Amino acid sequence: MRNVIVSGANGFIGSALVNKLIEENIKVLALDMKGCKNNIPSHDLVTYMEFDMSNSKTILEDVEKDKYDTFIH
């Protein structure tokens, strides 16, 4: 794993996972609902993107193709 997408990244488990991935020097695309990023660490390895089912097609268009090797939900 070098580049990971984490959905629910602001939740208890998601934010702990994001912190662990940062420790392992892994780049993270952190997905969570609009305004829900207070538990997501501000770090060079982390990119936050607002996500809910109403904008799932937009997310697919905005996420760089073939960059991410793992998706964790």
Side-chain angles (χ1 to χ4, degrees):
M1 282 190 305
R2 299 306 328 140
N3 298 290
V4 177
I5 299 172
V6 177
S7 68
N10 192 59
F12 180 76
I13 294 170
S15 60
L17 175 61
V18 170
N19 282 307
K20 180 62 177 170
L21 293 170
I22 290 170
E23 286 177 18
E24 300 294 325
N25 203 36
I26 296 171
K27 292 182 182 179
V28 177
L29 174 59
L31 303 179
D32 217 309
M33 297 182 303
K34 182 177 182 176
C36 293
K37 61 179 180 177
N38 58 312
N39 292 325
I40 299 172
S42 181
H43 194 281
D44 290 341
L45 292 172
V46 177
T47 302
Y48 167 74
M49 187 178 288
E50 293 178 357
F51 174 79
D52 63 43
M53 293 310 290
S54 68
N55 72 344
S56 59
K57 285 186 180 183
T58 302
I59 294 295
L60 291 174
E61 293 168 0
D62 291 344
V63 172
E64 198 173 328
K65 305 296 184 257
D66 298 323
K67 177 178 180 179
Y68 297 94
D69 51 45
T70 308
F71 182 90
I72 302 171
H73 174 70

